[in-house]
Amino acid sequence: MLIVIQHPTIFVAHSLGGLVVKKAFILGSCDKQFKQIIDSIRAFVFMATPHRGSDFANLLNKGLTINPAGGSAKNYITELAKNSSSLQDINEQFRGLCGNVSLVSFYETLKTSLGLGIKKYVVEKDSGVLGLPQETSGPLNADHNTICKYKNASDPNFTMVTSNLCRIIASIITKVDQSSLDSRKRRLSTAELKKRLDQILGISNGPELEFRKIHQRLMNGSCAWILKSDPFLAWIDSQSDSTQLLWLSGPPGIGKSTLATFLIDHICHNWPEDYCLYSFFNQRDFQKRSVAYLLRSLAFQLALQNEDFRNQLFDLHEDTGICFYTQTWQSIWERIFEGMVFELDLSSPSFWVIDALDESDAPTGFANLLTNIQSKLHLKILILSRFSKDLSMVFSEINKPVTVKEQRVSSANVMDDIRTYVDNIVKKSIPGDTGFQSEVMAQVLTKASGSFLWVRLAMETIQSNWHTQEDIQHALTELPPGMSSLYARMLSKIASQPDRPRIMAQRILTWVVCASRPLTVDELLCALSPEFGAFVSLENTIAEICDHFIVIEDSTINVIHQTAKQFLLNETKDSPLSISKRQGNTLIATASLDFLSDKKWRPILTAHDRATKVDLKSTSNALDTAYPFLNYAVTSWAYHTSVADADSEEFVALLDRFFANFVLSWINAVVLFGNIGVLIRAAQYLKAFIERRKQKSIHQNLKTVTVVDTEFLQLWTVDLIKIVGKFGNSLTEYPTAIYKMIPSFCPKKSITSRTYNVHSRSGLSITGLSSDNWDDNLSRINIGGDETACRIFATDSLFIVLVATGGTLIIFNAETCEEKARLKHDEYVTALCISGTRNLIATAGNKTIRIWDAASPKEIMSFPRPGQVRVVAIQFDKASHRILVASDDCFIRCFDLLSQQVKWSYLAEEAGQSDHSCPRFMVFSPDATCVAMAYRGKPVLLWNLLDAGIRPRKCVAKVDKWKTANEIFSAAEVVRWHPESRHILILYQDTSIVVWDLLEDGQILLDSIGAREMTCSADGNLILTSDYSGSIKIWGFPQFNLIYHLTYNESVRDLAFSPNAQRFYDVGGSLCNVWEPEALVRAVELDGDDQSSAYENSMSSEPTLSLDNNSRVQITALACDNADQYYCCGTEAGAVTMHEMKRGKKLKKLYSHSLVTSVVMLEWSRSSRYIVSADDCGRVIAKRLERPTSKAPTKWAVYPLLDIAVESCVTHFLFDSTDSYLLISMPATDIVWSIPTKSELCRRNYSEVRGGRWFTHPHDKDLLIWVDLQQTTLYEWKTLAQHFVPSRPQHSDPGNSTVSQQLAPAITVTAPLSSSPTSKVAQVAITRDRCVLIYETVPTIGHQGDLTSKRRLNALSVSPDSLVPKQLASEKTRAQLNLLSKHVEKLLGTLQNQLVFFNRQYWLCTWEIGEPAEKYVKHFFLPRDWLNAEMLRLIIFTDMATLICPKNGEVAVIWDGVGF
């Protein structure tokens, strides 16, 4: 029988019991029957166990021998003697089996009484301790008998034993948790693992298919020459710890890709396959030519192979939600490679093979990264590419950490391989006649000029002529030498065909060479069928009419080589079969737009209604199968548009028609294919097209040529960007929202609203907002009225605001702009930095330096600042294992984060120059190798931390050039290092900026910027400044051309870009603003001639001007009437105003509090006759209102009711149902006022702050219900006295088992176990039948994440025949309500007998009480820029299903949303 133990086991054994369990462990380890028990054992705790025997054994045997009652010595006691062979055997066997088990041994320190006054150690220390490496041992103040007996819980021996047990248990739990995590990750099948990696990296398969396609060309013996070359041998055999890079360069067609696959195969056969990563750039595939794709591919391969890296990648994704397929290649390099890969500890070298670097979108930039790698990994990189001067300059730079070797691949190197290839084909095709074989080979090799590609095409061309020797000789004679000549001959052959096959071939070649990626056979079939009809076999047609220009492998169509594509596009202008890049892209763009401009798509796509992120992959696959060309048309039409004919009026008209009628179904398809970023890319491509058209328009207007206006398209570039920014998450969750919901939320003058909202009669209706155009402000966050933000930092998934005085870090989610956490340093923070590679934040205060994990978020370590100094700057090193601390004593100290010790220090002070003030600032370079600093009235100094012997460099402003050392120099206020070049930007007190070129030691003075604050984007292309008036400007670098100007009349304290530079942040006072200007999404950078005509023009075009209307008085309180006709607002200026709900028109200012106070609470009675408000100074004002009369139909009359001061803030007001009483509730006091007599009726004080809420009793007008966390109680309006009700027989009231048989207080409802004592009741609502009371509890402390995760819904039954609220009788409903709490972000109220709430994604939802929790219905969502904590506090859902939302000083009213 197999015995199963499911829990970890610890054995605690005393004396001989320890020997017994050791022996049992040994025996069980040898018997499969007990495997589960043995595997469950985690620790042994031995109490005075005689591991090496005891002298007491001999004494005991003697005692038995002389016993008067008779006896003899026992063998088992004899085996307990010191150093007996039996004990030695047990110890040796145990030693070999207990390696993974924790051991604790306690030994006695008091002698044991043996009687007759004899005391002796039964087990001495040397026997009571095993002496094994994992053993913990210690003494107990006890003898052999009392070592396991304790007086009480405070007995020191008991404390010692239990503390060790707790330590063991904690270790077991940690290991179990980690084992569980690892097991979870290991349990993933390869398919599941690839799916998970696809979600993170956007890569679902490695480059194996490309490898196989190229590798199959290899013949035996090919490429072997490289294994004997000196540069290769030096690279492959190098034992250096530094990264080794070998660059193999050669002309096109010489076989570099084939050589790459040979070397990949060679490395995989001679080193562990897991350590070879490879990728192939492909200029013919728009995606696979990007550096970002290559890096994600390398990370994908490594994650499949290396568990440590895979787990780190999974953890990073789980902590931050980051998806790298949306990141720039610089960000991927920093976060994945510098942060994780280069920190791996692998036993063997890791090889990277990268082919066709010259075909990438950033060859020199990526090469520069590769040559600056600093890695723990023993890395060997092999680069293959064509030779270029730019790459040569990068690879030949000296003083870099990577050792670079170079080898040119020449025709001499590959001639033997070519000879072998030709020999093989000739011998197969011309058997027997060796002489003729040699002749053919000689002619081919003579014309080949070392080009494998020429030989391949030549052999394929003449293979069809293997009939007679004369035919072969003729074919050989006709073959021209050189690739261009050969291509021209092939093209001439195609052009000589009859018209239909010639036109067909031209179309096929055009599609293949102009496509943004290789097309599949099915895609090209669909694309060609409108013009040519159905093909019998497209593969055969291509082979027959396209000569050898096109190859088909695995149903994918490709041009035979990159040089063939270049030939067809660049050298066929005068050919009878010319292919124009411009006209070719116009053709494909037109075909794609025609394909998408069909009314059939909307019903087809909406069949996937409410698709979620989980289904998008299967949805995409289903659409691909049914409509093969749809994916290509959806994702690529914009690319082809960007390089299409900008002069074509017909094409512009087609674009107009597409956007006017079909763009919404296209957006729906984009989302279903799972990459909403296509919309941003399409906007960039469309901008490029418009820029080219504008330039041509300017040129043509000189010739009085009229062109179609492109304003309509320009407006769509804005809307596509705004749709992603404001609705992206909701659109991904519900793609068909694009048809009705999103147009309703777009501003009235936006092109989306103007084009589509007028047609969407069944859509949402939104009134009250005056803004007709898009707002660049994504979110305006108030961090707290009394707190002042001084710094802001941004990462991919977070942005962090620093409140320096209290040392508080406020962390926000970058996607939702919600507060995630508050981390308190509890000291004034003088410096802060964020790790570029890990989720770490470092803060330096007056006493300590603290390191925080931003993902958790929590503090992970703290250590004292270095001496009595002020920390001026801190920065992590690249790996984030160390931190550099610069202090006002001019020292830079490097702290190791593991040991928290100083590893080195550097004094940034010249010898004999110690007489100076403290540095005004110190700023580290991005690579932490230099520091810029300046003293007050002195020039900026630059210190090289890698060389202590070098004097600092100085940047003396030109105006200070002739000043002496004792004079006062221009005051530098801000210094920013340019992240990508050796430039420093210095902002001076006079608002001028100096750009200091460190390489040339030159300066550029910019004296018209007028900046006060300044920062750079991560890629260095943009500079962000603010001036003293609060205006914010974005400049292009290095030209400093103005790109964007935001007029914003607020003081700005600090600025930050998001890592992708498509968003920026500012802080000032208590506000943090998040901005997403459309201007930051620039026209895409095109290739070749198009670049200068589009991209550069977009950079130098007129700046975008934006005006932020932040002058509106913000709304701080909100109330509405019972008929959805009017609402009232309380403002931060102390006013209470009335508005018409339908139009949002302000009708009247009812009254005012003080101008220096904010109205924080507002309540309007259900009869609309009374209104009451409270401000933040404790003043309460109530008024009587009279509705308009027939004589004055728009005028409300206002009469005084009360005006009092209360002792604390008001939490809520409550009118009774007859308008006789007004309850004013405060944390520790309640007051009831009589409205008719205008006097205080009663007051009740409490000994502690409460977290409950009052509610009018639904069935008795004289009673109130107090809903608290722990109880629900009835009170009387007139006296606030607790109301008692007669109890009923228990059988008639089964839901109220706690009511006593006599008089009892109202039922006490026990709060759920998850409720915290620091929680409060945030909202109370009742169903329409007035029988179910719903209330919501939330924590009173913590950040927004706490409020969300700990939010709970509770329900009470309130029936007319029983005034006492009771728990719902249905246990099932209570359980479903608890499950529903996990989905609820905020309870809004009830509608009929349904709950109304916002879910976590801010969809307004309804749930029928009693239904399963997952069956709640989603109706519509709120845009991301509407969301903030203040809005959620004030939002109102009325009895007539209208939603009233404050937004930037206005009130939006959403009608008919629940019926949507």
Side-chain angles (χ1 to χ4, degrees):
M1 180 182 71
L2 183 66
I3 301 174
V4 178
I5 300 291
Q6 295 183 337
H7 300 290
T9 304
I10 301 172
F11 276 95
V12 182
H14 175 234
S15 192
L16 300 183
L19 302 180
V20 173
V21 296
K22 283 184 358 183
K23 187 65 176 179
F25 181 73
I26 293 167
L27 295 174
S29 298
C30 302
D31 192 332
K32 291 183 180 179
Q33 180 180 209
F34 301 106
K35 184 179 187 304
Q36 292 284 348
I37 295 178
I38 299 302
D39 289 346
S40 75
I41 298 173
R42 297 292 187 270
F44 292 99
V45 178
F46 298 111
M47 315 286 289
T49 296
H51 298 293
R52 294 180 181 80
S54 171
D55 290 335
F56 188 69
N58 295 329
L59 182 62
L60 182 58
N61 261 337
K62 288 180 181 179
L64 290 172
T65 303
I66 63 174
N67 187 352
S72 61
K74 305 295 184 182
N75 287 335
Y76 70 87
I77 295 179
T78 302
E79 292 176 352
L80 294 178
K82 265 197 172 182
N83 300 318
S84 73
S85 59
S86 297
L87 293 180
Q88 289 178 9
D89 287 344
I90 291 174
N91 288 339
E92 286 304 314
Q93 293 178 64
F94 185 72
R95 180 192 300 272
L97 296 171
C98 69
N100 295 322
V101 178
S102 297
L103 303 174
V104 178
S105 295
F106 293 109
Y107 54 88
E108 58 207 64
T109 57
L110 299 179
K111 295 180 179 179
T112 303
S113 176
L114 303 178
L116 302 177
I118 300 174
K119 290 187 176 182
K120 189 175 181 66
Y121 288 115
V122 176
V123 178
E124 295 183 349
K125 177 183 176 181
D126 63 341
S127 182
V129 177
L130 277 165
L132 296 179
Q134 73 269 36
E135 182 185 25
T136 299
S137 61
L140 292 179
N141 189 30
D143 62 22
H144 191 73
N145 294 329
T146 60
I147 197 168
C148 55
K149 299 175 183 178
Y150 314 108
K151 297 176 182 178
N152 49 49
S154 60
D155 187 327
N157 289 345
F158 179 79
T159 303
M160 174 71 78
V161 173
T162 54
S163 65
N164 274 274
L165 284 171
C166 289
R167 176 182 58 79
I168 294 170
I169 292 169
S171 174
I172 292 171
I173 291 172
T174 301
K175 289 179 180 178
V176 167
D177 289 345
Q178 185 61 44
S179 175
S180 175
L181 178 64
D182 293 344
S183 176
R184 174 175 58 82
K185 293 173 179 175
R186 283 195 300 269
R187 279 200 300 270
L188 293 174
S189 66
T190 301
E192 292 170 329
L193 189 56
K194 287 184 175 182
K195 183 178 180 180
R196 179 82 187 277
L197 290 171
D198 187 23
Q199 295 170 350
I200 301 171
L201 298 170
I203 301 282
S204 56
N205 287 293
E208 294 84 5
L209 181 60
E210 293 147 286
F211 171 83
R212 288 196 296 271
K213 286 179 182 178
I214 301 170
H215 192 257
Q216 66 186 6
R217 305 173 194 163
L218 270 174
M219 302 184 68
N220 289 334
S222 294
C223 301
W225 64 268
I226 187 67
L227 302 180
K228 300 175 183 178
S229 72
D230 292 337
F232 175 79
L233 290 173
W235 173 78
I236 200 78
D237 295 334
S238 173
Q239 299 299 313
S240 172
D241 291 334
S242 66
T243 297
Q244 304 292 304
L245 187 147
L246 175 61
W247 179 34
L248 299 179
S249 63
I254 205 166
K256 295 185 296 297
S257 295
T258 306
L259 180 61
T261 62
F262 170 81
L263 290 171
I264 292 167
D265 188 59
H266 174 76
I267 292 167
C268 290
H269 277 85
N270 290 276
W271 281 268
E273 188 175 354
D274 292 353
Y275 294 102
C276 184
L277 312 178
Y278 57 92
S279 191
F280 305 87
F281 282 113
N282 184 350
Q283 196 174 41
R284 288 162 280 174
D285 188 324
F286 188 82
Q287 184 183 48
K288 293 182 180 179
R289 73 182 187 185
S290 74
V291 173
Y293 182 88
L294 173 131
L295 293 177
R296 290 187 282 118
S297 177
L298 295 179
F300 175 86
Q301 296 171 63
L302 185 60
L304 288 177
Q305 299 164 0
N306 186 278
E307 186 178 356
D308 287 343
F309 170 67
R310 178 167 68 245
N311 291 342
Q312 287 185 57
L313 188 63
F314 286 171
D315 290 343
L316 177 65
H317 177 66
E318 290 168 3
D319 289 343
T320 66
I322 188 171
C323 294
F324 287 99
Y325 52 80
T326 63
Q327 303 298 311
T328 63
W329 59 269
Q330 294 93 337
S331 178
I332 296 169
W333 180 263
E334 186 176 54
R335 296 299 297 270
I336 293 183
F337 289 87
E338 291 185 333
M340 290 183 275
V341 174
F342 297 153
E343 296 301 308
L344 293 175
D345 185 14
L346 302 181
S347 57
S348 296
S350 182
F351 293 90
W352 292 3
V353 180
I354 299 171
D355 181 48
L357 177 60
D358 55 296
E359 296 185 26
S360 76
D361 57 358
T364 54
F366 185 49
N368 192 56
L369 278 187
L370 293 176
T371 55
N372 282 286
I373 290 174
Q374 296 181 9
S375 172
K376 289 183 178 178
L377 204 62
H378 188 191
L379 192 58
K380 298 190 176 187
I381 302 172
L382 178 63
I383 303 292
L384 297 98
S385 75
R386 299 185 197 182
F387 179 82
S388 79
K389 290 182 178 179
D390 290 339
L391 285 177
S392 181
M393 287 179 63
V394 174
F395 288 137
S396 61
E397 287 182 19
I398 60 175
N399 297 326
K400 287 195 172 184
V402 174
T403 302
V404 179
K405 298 177 177 63
E406 179 183 350
Q407 177 164 358
R408 299 279 186 93
V409 181
S410 65
S411 56
N413 295 131
V414 300
M415 189 54 69
D416 287 343
D417 294 344
I418 293 175
R419 185 176 290 106
T420 301
Y421 175 73
V422 174
D423 180 66
N424 187 57
I425 294 178
V426 169
K427 286 181 177 177
K428 286 181 179 178
S429 305
I430 312 175
D433 192 339
T434 57
F436 188 62
Q437 290 174 354
S438 299
E439 186 179 343
V440 170
M441 286 178 57
Q443 292 186 57
V444 170
L445 293 174
T446 300
K447 293 184 177 183
S449 300
S451 173
F452 251 115
L453 178 61
W454 188 94
V455 171
R456 177 184 169 191
L457 287 173
M459 300 308 291
E460 290 176 357
T461 301
I462 63 179
Q463 265 185 322
S464 57
N465 296 287
W466 299 125
H467 305 303
T468 67
Q469 290 189 3
E470 184 179 351
D471 293 334
I472 295 171
Q473 286 287 5
H474 178 74
L476 287 170
T477 303
E478 292 291 316
L479 275 176
M483 292 306 306
S484 295
S485 300
L486 182 57
Y487 287 149
R489 182 181 180 279
M490 292 162 58
L491 194 64
S492 177
K493 182 178 177 182
I494 296 172
S496 64
Q497 298 178 111
D499 286 350
R500 183 167 174 79
R502 176 177 55 79
I503 294 171
M504 193 179 292
Q506 186 177 32
R507 289 287 187 274
I508 292 171
L509 288 173
T510 299
W511 273 91
V512 173
V513 300
C514 293
S516 63
R517 62 163 173 80
L519 296 164
T520 66
V521 172
D522 288 340
E523 286 174 334
L524 189 56
L525 268 172
C526 292
L528 295 173
S529 59
E531 184 176 0
F532 298 107
F535 286 84
V536 176
S537 171
L538 181 59
E539 294 96 324
N540 291 340
T541 299
I542 290 173
E544 185 175 337
I545 69 174
C546 295
D547 205 38
H548 298 285
F549 274 110
I550 293 175
V551 293
I552 301 175
E553 296 174 317
D554 297 325
S555 297
T556 301
I557 304 170
N558 247 314
V559 67
I560 191 168
H561 193 266
Q562 180 64 20
T563 54
K565 176 180 177 179
Q566 292 169 346
F567 173 84
L568 290 169
L569 289 174
N570 301 325
E571 299 186 32
T572 61
K573 294 179 181 178
D574 300 325
S575 166
L577 198 71
S578 64
I579 297 176
S580 162
K581 179 180 180 181
R582 190 74 70 217
Q583 296 306 319
N585 280 282
T586 305
L587 168 73
I588 299 177
T590 300
S592 300
L593 289 169
D594 282 338
F595 183 80
L596 295 172
S597 300
D598 194 321
K599 292 182 179 179
K600 73 177 182 180
W601 291 120
R602 179 166 175 173
I604 289 171
L605 297 171
T606 52
H608 301 278
D609 193 26
R610 295 181 185 267
T612 64
K613 293 179 181 179
V614 178
D615 328 296
L616 286 181
K617 194 70 177 178
S618 58
T619 301
S620 173
N621 292 338
L623 289 171
D624 277 336
T625 302
Y627 312 100
F629 187 60
L630 180 61
N631 192 329
Y632 186 86
V634 164
T635 57
S636 299
W637 72 262
Y639 162 73
H640 294 293
T641 296
S642 69
V643 285
D645 183 5
D647 292 333
S648 172
E649 308 300 330
E650 294 80 6
F651 182 67
V652 174
L654 175 62
L655 283 170
D656 287 345
R657 175 173 171 265
F658 170 72
F659 277 100
N661 298 281
F662 303 104
V663 70
L664 298 189
S665 57
W666 167 66
I667 293 173
N668 188 359
V670 167
V671 179
L672 290 176
F673 279 118
N675 187 2
I676 200 170
V678 167
L679 300 183
I680 298 290
R681 198 77 176 166
Q684 293 177 289
Y685 285 131
L686 201 57
K687 282 186 177 186
F689 175 79
I690 293 169
E691 290 293 341
R692 286 197 302 108
R693 184 166 175 82
K694 284 181 179 178
Q695 294 302 313
K696 296 205 172 190
S697 172
I698 293 171
H699 176 69
Q700 291 175 341
N701 279 338
L702 298 176
K703 302 178 181 179
T704 66
V705 176
T706 304
V707 297
V708 176
D709 187 19
T710 55
E711 181 184 0
F712 181 68
L713 299 178
Q714 184 75 54
L715 291 172
W716 272 109
T717 66
V718 175
D719 278 34
L720 291 178
I721 295 164
K722 295 296 184 182
I723 285 171
V724 175
K726 296 180 184 292
F727 311 109
N729 279 352
S730 301
L731 190 56
T732 302
E733 184 180 1
Y734 184 20
T736 54
I738 191 60
Y739 298 112
K740 295 182 180 179
M741 293 186 205
I742 289 175
S744 299
F745 282 114
C746 294
K748 292 178 182 177
K749 290 186 178 179
S750 69
I751 196 64
T752 304
S753 180
R754 284 159 45 190
T755 308
Y756 291 99
N757 200 29
V758 293
H759 304 143
S760 183
R761 296 179 181 176
S762 60
L764 297 172
S765 174
I766 301 171
T767 60
L769 299 179
S770 62
S771 177
D772 291 332
N773 294 303
W774 291 108
D775 185 357
D776 288 340
N777 187 281
L778 186 63
S779 184
R780 181 174 280 111
I781 304 164
N782 193 321
I783 64 170
D786 298 328
E787 296 179 311
T788 301
C790 65
R791 297 293 304 278
I792 186 162
F793 295 82
T795 70
D796 301 296
S797 57
L798 305 169
F799 60 95
I800 299 134
V801 174
L802 170 65
V803 180
T805 50
T808 302
L809 294 175
I810 310 174
I811 301 177
F812 295 90
N813 183 301
E815 186 63 38
T816 63
C817 298
E818 289 180 321
E819 185 178 323
K820 181 180 178 182
R822 291 197 176 213
L823 304 175
K824 294 185 179 294
H825 191 113
D826 292 328
E827 301 170 24
Y828 185 89
V829 172
T830 60
L832 180 149
C833 70
I834 297 177
S835 166
T837 56
R838 297 166 63 190
N839 296 308
L840 299 180
I841 307 171
T843 54
N846 290 330
K847 297 180 180 179
T848 59
I849 295 172
R850 300 178 190 270
I851 311 297
W852 314 83
D853 183 349
S856 306
K858 62 182 180 181
E859 180 183 330
I860 57 176
M861 69 176 65
S862 172
F863 50 92
R865 68 175 182 181
Q868 298 301 312
V869 296
R870 182 175 69 91
V871 176
V872 182
I874 50 177
Q875 178 150 320
F876 289 99
D877 69 353
K878 278 194 173 183
S880 298
H881 291 156
R882 298 180 178 182
I883 189 166
L884 276 65
V885 179
S887 50
D888 62 0
D889 60 354
C890 299
F891 268 97
I892 294 95
R893 298 171 176 88
C894 177
F895 284 85
D896 181 83
L897 294 183
L898 185 61
S899 65
Q900 300 180 13
Q901 299 298 312
V902 176
K903 301 299 291 185
W904 54 261
S905 62
Y906 183 103
L907 178 60
E909 185 178 83
E910 292 185 82
Q913 299 291 322
S914 59
D915 186 18
H916 52 72
S917 60
C918 293
R920 183 175 179 80
F921 57 76
M922 301 175 78
V923 183
F924 289 105
S925 62
D927 59 4
T929 61
C930 298
V931 64
M933 61 185 290
Y935 304 105
R936 187 176 298 276
K938 298 296 180 183
V940 174
L941 304 177
L942 176 63
W943 294 86
N944 186 339
L945 302 180
L946 300 180
D947 194 335
I950 297 180
R951 296 185 63 188
R953 299 174 65 179
K954 295 182 181 181
C955 181
V956 179
K958 291 181 180 179
V959 296
D960 300 327
K961 186 175 181 180
W962 305 109
K963 290 182 179 179
T964 64
N966 295 326
E967 293 183 86
I968 297 176
F969 289 72
S970 300
E973 293 286 324
V974 179
V975 165
R976 295 286 182 262
W977 288 80
H978 190 271
E980 293 294 324
S981 66
R982 300 298 291 181
H983 289 85
I984 294 180
L985 284 75
I986 306 171
L987 172 60
Y988 287 92
Q989 198 172 46
D990 63 358
T991 74
S992 65
I993 294 176
V994 168
V995 181
W996 184 15
D997 185 339
L998 299 180
L999 293 179
E1000 302 294 334
D1001 199 21
Q1003 296 181 23
I1004 300 174
L1005 174 64
L1006 305 165
D1007 55 5
S1008 60
I1009 301 296
R1012 178 189 177 187
E1013 296 293 337
M1014 172 180 64
T1015 193
C1016 299
S1017 63
D1019 60 6
N1021 291 329
L1022 301 173
I1023 307 297
L1024 179 65
T1025 66
S1026 67
D1027 60 25
Y1028 282 89
S1029 67
S1031 291
I1032 297 174
K1033 299 175 183 177
I1034 299 176
W1035 311 81
F1037 186 87
Q1039 296 90 352
F1040 263 85
N1041 53 300
L1042 183 61
I1043 295 173
Y1044 176 79
H1045 182 181
L1046 171 67
T1047 301
Y1048 174 60
N1049 298 318
E1050 293 287 345
S1051 176
V1052 174
R1053 184 76 179 273
D1054 195 26
L1055 299 160
F1057 273 112
S1058 64
N1060 65 1
Q1062 292 185 3
R1063 173 191 289 187
F1064 68 87
Y1065 306 83
D1066 79 78
V1067 291
S1070 60
L1071 288 179
C1072 170
N1073 287 290
V1074 185
W1075 308 92
E1076 277 194 355
E1078 167 270 335
L1080 287 182
V1081 181
R1082 291 158 284 168
V1084 73
E1085 187 172 358
L1086 302 175
D1087 297 326
D1089 297 335
D1090 297 317
Q1091 180 175 349
S1092 59
S1093 61
Y1095 181 75
E1096 290 180 2
N1097 285 324
S1098 75
M1099 292 293 292
S1100 60
S1101 59
E1102 288 297 314
T1104 300
L1105 304 180
S1106 179
L1107 174 64
D1108 180 64
N1109 189 356
N1110 60 339
S1111 60
R1112 297 192 192 104
V1113 178
Q1114 296 301 305
I1115 295 169
T1116 52
L1118 197 60
C1120 69
D1121 73 342
N1122 202 34
D1124 280 11
Q1125 292 181 318
Y1126 307 96
Y1127 63 83
C1128 291
C1129 299
T1131 71
E1132 63 181 357
V1136 176
T1137 57
M1138 179 179 286
H1139 302 253
E1140 186 184 44
M1141 192 178 291
K1142 198 68 179 177
R1143 294 180 299 167
K1145 180 182 177 182
K1146 179 180 174 180
L1147 297 178
K1148 183 172 185 172
K1149 178 180 177 180
L1150 298 178
Y1151 59 92
S1152 288
H1153 291 248
S1154 169
L1155 287 174
V1156 296
T1157 61
S1158 296
V1159 177
V1160 295
M1161 196 63 58
L1162 192 64
E1163 185 73 18
W1164 202 355
S1165 68
R1166 291 186 67 82
S1167 67
S1168 301
R1169 294 171 55 203
Y1170 299 98
I1171 190 167
V1172 62
S1173 60
D1175 63 31
D1176 51 8
C1177 289
R1179 185 183 180 189
V1180 176
I1181 300 176
K1183 300 287 184 178
R1184 181 171 64 85
L1185 306 178
E1186 284 190 4
R1187 285 182 173 272
T1189 63
S1190 57
K1191 294 182 179 180
T1194 61
K1195 295 189 68 174
W1196 283 72
V1198 183
Y1199 301 96
L1201 181 61
L1202 66 88
D1203 188 341
I1204 62 172
V1206 293
E1207 55 269 29
S1208 63
C1209 62
V1210 176
T1211 57
H1212 59 287
F1213 295 112
L1214 190 65
F1215 288 99
D1216 77 318
S1217 58
T1218 64
D1219 283 355
S1220 300
Y1221 307 110
L1222 168 64
L1223 174 72
I1224 305 171
S1225 185
M1226 292 164 280
T1229 305
D1230 289 320
I1231 304 172
V1232 175
W1233 273 76
S1234 169
I1235 295 177
T1237 65
K1238 300 182 183 179
S1239 61
E1240 181 179 316
L1241 276 184
C1242 58
R1243 176 185 296 254
R1244 187 163 183 170
N1245 297 315
Y1246 306 93
S1247 58
E1248 58 184 18
V1249 173
R1250 303 161 306 148
R1253 198 168 183 88
W1254 293 100
F1255 194 79
T1256 56
H1257 199 291
H1259 306 299
D1260 190 327
K1261 63 182 179 61
D1262 295 323
L1263 299 179
L1264 304 95
I1265 302 175
W1266 172 254
V1267 182
D1268 207 338
L1269 297 173
Q1270 301 299 327
Q1271 61 183 12
T1272 301
T1273 315
L1274 295 182
Y1275 288 86
E1276 298 178 0
W1277 264 107
K1278 290 183 179 180
T1279 63
L1280 280 184
Q1282 189 172 340
H1283 180 76
F1284 296 89
V1285 295
S1287 64
R1288 299 170 182 264
Q1290 194 165 358
H1291 66 272
S1292 66
D1293 192 8
N1296 189 9
S1297 60
T1298 63
V1299 180
S1300 67
Q1301 297 298 315
Q1302 305 302 319
L1303 292 178
I1307 184 171
T1308 296
V1309 180
T1310 303
L1313 293 176
S1314 55
S1315 292
S1316 165
T1318 55
S1319 293
K1320 68 176 181 179
V1321 177
Q1323 178 81 330
V1324 182
I1326 195 164
T1327 54
R1328 185 172 184 179
D1329 61 12
R1330 308 189 72 76
C1331 290
V1332 179
L1333 195 71
I1334 307 292
Y1335 64 97
E1336 175 188 46
T1337 63
V1338 296
T1340 56
I1341 60 173
H1343 49 78
Q1344 186 65 35
D1346 289 333
L1347 303 186
T1348 299
S1349 62
K1350 298 177 182 177
R1351 189 180 301 271
R1352 292 294 180 268
L1353 297 179
N1354 307 274
L1356 299 172
S1357 174
V1358 188
S1359 61
D1361 60 339
S1362 174
L1363 297 178
V1364 180
K1366 299 172 290 188
Q1367 282 191 349
L1368 288 178
S1370 171
E1371 187 174 323
K1372 178 182 177 182
T1373 300
R1374 295 201 303 271
Q1376 292 302 318
L1377 197 63
N1378 190 45
L1379 290 173
L1380 186 69
S1381 299
K1382 299 175 182 177
H1383 301 278
V1384 175
E1385 183 66 28
K1386 179 178 174 61
L1387 176 66
L1388 295 173
T1390 60
L1391 180 66
Q1392 307 296 338
N1393 292 324
Q1394 297 177 320
L1395 256 65
V1396 184
F1397 60 93
F1398 281 133
N1399 72 357
R1400 299 289 170 84
Q1401 290 74 41
Y1402 296 100
W1403 282 75
L1404 186 137
C1405 306
T1406 56
W1407 177 68
E1408 191 76 36
I1409 296 175
E1411 289 292 313
E1414 65 274 9
K1415 287 194 174 182
Y1416 69 86
V1417 178
K1418 294 187 287 188
H1419 298 277
F1420 65 90
F1421 59 82
L1422 289 186
R1424 190 170 69 172
D1425 62 323
W1426 288 35
L1427 302 173
N1428 59 61
E1430 187 69 2
M1431 183 279 291
L1432 291 174
R1433 182 181 72 85
L1434 298 178
I1435 198 165
I1436 295 173
F1437 184 81
T1438 73
D1439 293 341
M1440 300 178 72
T1442 302
L1443 194 70
I1444 306 174
C1445 312
K1447 183 179 185 293
N1448 193 23
E1450 297 182 309
V1451 174
V1453 182
I1454 303 177
W1455 308 83
D1456 307 321
V1458 175
F1460 182 71

